[in-house]
Every structure is written in structure tokens, then in C-alpha cells.
């Protein structure tokens, strides 16, 4: 009776969160972060337990075959949801349908050859293998695509691994004691479904928390970047400097300010769309030529900035020359223009500064150097005096 009540409550929990995941996915336009797959996984498992409650005890019947098939398909749906959450496109319906058909056929074959005990033992074995694969996948993700979620991933690995252990124990009990080990009055069944309820109670809110965290991180990243070029804006630049100088061994930084020469002429002659295209491609040039770890930003208009971290005078000189030359060689193809657009840039370089609060002074120095370069004929590199 206790296990039956727990399974009933588990069904309601799974179906409730299936609806919630589906609604969250509907609200997420574009990237749904795997919520549709998580919703389907909950719905599959909830439906499997509904069939278990309605189908009576363990045995050979259509409800039992469908129950086992839905149970086996559930981890695959969750796995696809996890892949989509981390930005890895993964098909859902075709693999699920293929697995469902294959496992239904396997059940018929095992039932015919070895009987119902073997069929239930097969279910336990397959679930153990699937949960083992999921646990190893989560551990691997902690070192690769989920480095920023190590605590959450460690919790998931622990919970999923525990579920694999529980299924392994169930398989052993079925082999040793037959179908009586699956009776809802059996002590292990009570423990098994209490663990499942605990798992469902932990995982569903954890998934919602991960979605909220991902959305918050994306909002923070959006607020720190220029929408046209995706370079850092001033807010993102300050955050990057705070991270750099927050390390005790951090060295000084130098600021390069770049201004595109005669950019207004491009907008007036070819239109603002052509100007935006030029800005986007110049941003790509700066990203490609900056050193790893340097901060590339667009403060506004046709001005760009590169903060060189831990660079000596020679390193800054080489970077300024490389960027200046790359922009000079850039040819921007504009629809409707008879020939590619070309532009040059004037670069101003600040003196070294040693903290985020030195950014304003560095900008003033680099700006002053830049305007000296403009006055001296443009397309040149000037250093702060």
C-alpha cells in the first residue's frame, strides 16, 4: 500500500513538471534549452507508472510491454534534453521511436525464449547500462561543456549513479527471487520508489534552476556586449579588467584606441547598412589579431579599443602594427557597390595602468594620442606622451 501511494504521488509529480517544462519551453523562443525533451521524458516516465498502477501486478500483458518500453525511452529523452541544453543539436523523435520499436521486439523475444523473469531482469540490466552511460557522460561534461556547472553536474552524477545502483539491486533480486521481488509490498520496492520520489523532487527544480541560471548568464553577457559587433562594451570592459586585476600576480595593462578614418564618408556615400557591415568586419579583424586574453571592445561609433593585458612595450607595438595593417588590407564587399570598400584607422596607445580605476585616465591618454595622429594625417600609430 505504501509503495502504491508513493508511485501515485510520483506520477502526479512527473506529469506536473512535464507540463511545466513544456510551458517553459514554449516561452523560450529560439533555443528552448532542451525543455521540450525534458517535458517528454517526464511524460514518458509518468505514463509508465500510470500503466503500472492500472495494469496490476507484474506479468505478461500489453500494459506491461508498453510500461517497460516507455521506461527505457525515458533516459534517452533526458539525454537529448541535456545535449540541447548545452547547445549540442540532437534529434529526438526518430531515435525514441527506433528505441521503442527495438525494445518492444526484444521483450517479445525474451518473453518467448526465457519467460517473464528474464524480461524484467532485462529491463533492470538495460536501465543499469543506460544510467551508467549517463553518469559517465555527466562526469565528462564537467571537464568539457559544463565547466561552469561542476557542482550541479556532480550532484546529477551522484543521483543518476544511485539510480543505476538501485536498478542493479532490483535485477539481482528478480533473478534470485522471481517476480515476487516486484510485489509492491516488498521492502525493496518501497525503498526503490522512495528514492525515485527523492530523485524527481531534486532533479526537476534543479533543471529549472539551470535554465534560470543560463538565461541570467545570457542576459549578463548581452548587457556586456555591443549588439552590432558582439565586442565588449564599456561595462564588459570594466568587468574584464576587474577579473584580470583581481589576480594578485596580474601585470599592467595598455589601452589601444582605434578610430576609423573618414568613416562618415562611408555612411554618407553608401548608407548606414554599408557602414554597419564595415564595423562588423573591422570587429572581426580585431578579434582575429588580438592576443589570447586581450579585451576587445567597441566604446561607440567608429571607435574601438583593445586592452593588452600583461604586455610589454614591444608586445603592444607589434599588436598595434598588426591591427593597423590588417584594417588597411581589409576589403569589405558591399551589395550594390562597384568595388570593395576599404578604410584605414588611426591608433592611439596609452601608458601602462595598474587597475580598473586607471581605465578612464588611459582612455584620455589614448584619445589624446589618437587625435594627434588624426591631426598629423591619419592612418598612423601614436603613443601617449
Amino acid at each position: 500500500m505504501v509503495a502504491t501511494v508513493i508511485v501515485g504521488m510520483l506520477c502526479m509529480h512527473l506529469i506536473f513538471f512535464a507540463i511545466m517544462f513544456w510551458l517553459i519551453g514554449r516561452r523560450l523562443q529560439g533555443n528552448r534549452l532542451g525543455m521540450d525533451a525534458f517535458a517528454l521524458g517526464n511524460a514518458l516516465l509518468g505514463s509508465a507508472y500510470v500503466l503500472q498502477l492500472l495494469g496490476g501486478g507484474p506479468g505478461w500483458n500489453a500494459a506491461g510491454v508498453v510500461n517497460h518500453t516507455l521506461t527505457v525511452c525515458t533516459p534517452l529523452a533526458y539525454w537529448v534534453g541535456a545535449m540541447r541544453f548545452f547547445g549540442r543539436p540532437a534529434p529526438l523523435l526518430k531515435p525514441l521511436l527506433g528505441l521503442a520499436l527495438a525494445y518492444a521486439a526484444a521483450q517479445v523475444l525474451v518473453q518467448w525464449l526465457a519467460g517473464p523473469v528474464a524480461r524484467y531482469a532485462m529491463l533492470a540490466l538495460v536501465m543499469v547500462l543506460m544510467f551508467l552511460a549517463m553518469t559517465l557522460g555527466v562526469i565528462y561534461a564537467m571537464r568539457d561543456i559544463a565547466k561552469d556547472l561542476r557542482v550541479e553536474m556532480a550532484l546529477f552524477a551522484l543521483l543518476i549513479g544511485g539510480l543505476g545502483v538501485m536498478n542493479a539491486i532490483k535485477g539481482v533480486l528478480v533473478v534470485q527471487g522471481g517476480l515476487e521481488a516486484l510485489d509492491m509490498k516488498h521492502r525493496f520496492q518501497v525503498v526503490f520508489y522512495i528514492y525515485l520520489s527523492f530523485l524527481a523532487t531534486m532533479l526537476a527544480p534543479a533543471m529549472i534552476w539551470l535554465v534560470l541560471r543560463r538565461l541570467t548568464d545570457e542576459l549578463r553577457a548581452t548587457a556586456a556586449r555591443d549588439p552590432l559587433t558582439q565586442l565588449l562594451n564599456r561595462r564588459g570592459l570594466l568587468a574584464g579588467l576587474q577579473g584580470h586585476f583581481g589576480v594578485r600576480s596580474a601585470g599592467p595593462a595598455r589601452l589601444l584606441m582605434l578610430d576609423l578614418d573618414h568613416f562618415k564618408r562611408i555612411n554618407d556615400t553608401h548608407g548606414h547598412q554599408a557602414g554597419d557591415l564595415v564595423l562588423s568586419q573591422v570587429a572581426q579583424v580585431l578579434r582575429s589579431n588580438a592576443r589570447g586574453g586581450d579585451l576587445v571592445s567597441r566604446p561607440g561609433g567608429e571607435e574601438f579599443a583593445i586592452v593588452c593585458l600583461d604586455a610589454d612595450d614591444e608586445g603592444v607595438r607589434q599588436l598595434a602594427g598588426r591591427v593597423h595593417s590588417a584594417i588597411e588590407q581589409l576589403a569589405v564587399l558591399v551589395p550594390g557597390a562597384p568595388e570593395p570598400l576599404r578604410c584605414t584607422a588611426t591608433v592611439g596607445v596609452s601608458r601602462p595602468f595598474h587597475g580598473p580605476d586607471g581605465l578612464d585616465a588611459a582612455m584620455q591618454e589614448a584619445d589624446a594620442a589618437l587625435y594627434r595622429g588624426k591631426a598629423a594625417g591619419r592612418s598612423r600609430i601614436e603613443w601617449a606622451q
Side-chain angles (χ1 to χ4, degrees):
M1 181 63 183
V2 174
T4 302
V5 172
I6 294 173
V7 173
M9 295 177 63
L10 181 60
C11 289
M12 291 188 294
H13 183 282
L14 290 168
I15 293 173
F16 172 78
F17 274 100
I19 296 172
M20 180 173 289
F21 290 157
W22 179 75
L23 291 174
I24 292 174
R26 289 288 301 273
R27 298 291 296 178
L28 297 175
Q29 298 181 359
N31 182 9
R32 296 189 175 183
L33 299 176
M35 284 294 102
D36 48 350
F38 291 137
L40 182 57
N42 267 37
L44 291 174
L45 191 56
S47 301
Y49 287 132
V50 169
L51 289 174
Q52 179 174 321
L53 291 174
L54 298 177
W60 174 248
N61 51 55
V65 173
V66 176
N67 175 2
H68 287 202
T69 302
L70 295 178
T71 301
V72 167
C73 288
T74 297
L76 178 59
Y78 286 146
W79 182 255
V80 171
M83 295 297 290
R84 291 180 177 182
F85 177 85
F86 289 108
R88 304 296 196 269
L92 178 60
L93 296 181
K94 287 184 178 180
L96 274 179
L97 182 59
L99 177 60
L101 293 175
Y103 194 75
Q107 289 187 76
V108 173
L109 181 62
V110 170
Q111 176 74 23
W112 178 54
L113 293 175
V117 172
R119 185 169 69 89
Y120 279 87
M122 179 180 69
L123 174 64
L125 175 62
V126 170
M127 298 304 290
V128 168
L129 294 176
M130 295 185 79
F131 287 130
L132 176 61
M134 290 178 70
T135 303
L136 294 176
V138 171
I139 293 173
Y140 177 79
M142 293 167 60
R143 303 171 55 187
D144 184 24
I145 59 177
K147 290 181 179 179
D148 58 331
L149 299 171
R150 287 183 176 177
V151 175
E152 293 88 342
M153 293 297 105
L155 175 63
F156 287 161
L158 182 63
L159 294 174
I160 296 170
L163 192 54
V165 171
M166 297 293 286
N167 276 276
I169 296 173
K170 176 183 279 192
V172 172
L173 291 176
V174 169
V175 171
Q176 293 179 345
L179 297 184
E180 292 182 1
L182 300 175
D183 191 284
M184 297 297 279
K185 297 179 182 179
H186 196 283
R187 180 179 300 176
F188 177 77
Q189 288 291 80
V190 176
V191 174
F192 181 81
Y193 288 115
I194 288 176
Y195 184 82
L196 271 181
S197 298
F198 170 76
L199 186 69
T201 303
M202 292 286 291
L203 287 183
M207 291 176 185
I208 296 175
W209 153 250
L210 289 180
V211 170
L212 291 175
R213 176 170 173 175
R214 179 56 56 86
L215 293 176
T216 302
D217 290 344
E218 290 179 356
L219 286 174
R220 188 180 294 113
T222 300
R225 294 193 176 273
D226 167 56
L228 175 63
T229 63
Q230 292 304 304
L231 298 180
L232 297 173
N233 56 22
R234 183 181 176 85
R235 178 177 179 177
L237 192 59
L238 278 171
L241 285 172
Q242 288 169 353
H244 170 70
F245 288 112
V247 180
R248 182 174 299 179
S249 60
R254 300 286 286 264
L255 176 67
L256 278 67
M257 293 290 294
L258 301 89
D259 187 272
L260 299 184
D261 300 324
H262 304 297
F263 182 74
K264 185 175 183 299
R265 186 183 302 168
I266 294 176
N267 277 337
D268 293 342
T269 304
H270 301 282
H272 289 280
Q273 288 186 343
D276 289 347
L277 187 58
V278 170
L279 293 174
S280 297
Q281 295 202 19
V282 168
Q284 183 57 45
V285 166
L286 298 184
R287 270 192 293 262
S288 301
N289 286 275
R291 305 169 314 148
D294 287 346
L295 306 175
V296 186
S297 74
R298 181 192 174 206
E302 64 270 23
E303 280 194 345
F304 297 87
I306 302 177
V307 176
C308 306
L309 304 175
D310 294 326
D312 55 18
D313 288 348
E314 183 58 29
V316 175
R317 192 181 305 276
Q318 291 179 4
L319 174 62
R322 186 165 66 246
V323 168
H324 179 266
S325 176
I327 293 175
E328 198 171 46
Q329 296 173 16
L330 178 65
V332 181
L333 298 175
V334 176
E339 57 185 20
L341 298 183
R342 296 183 179 275
C343 61
T344 59
T346 303
V347 183
V349 185
S350 77
R351 294 180 297 175
F353 61 100
H354 302 271
D357 52 353
L359 179 61
D360 288 336
M363 281 189 165
Q364 292 177 5
E365 293 174 359
D367 264 335
L370 189 151
Y371 282 106
R372 283 198 308 274
K374 293 278 190 182
R378 293 184 171 85
S379 188
R380 54 194 297 131
I381 300 170
E382 288 286 338
W383 292 69
Q385 296 178 349

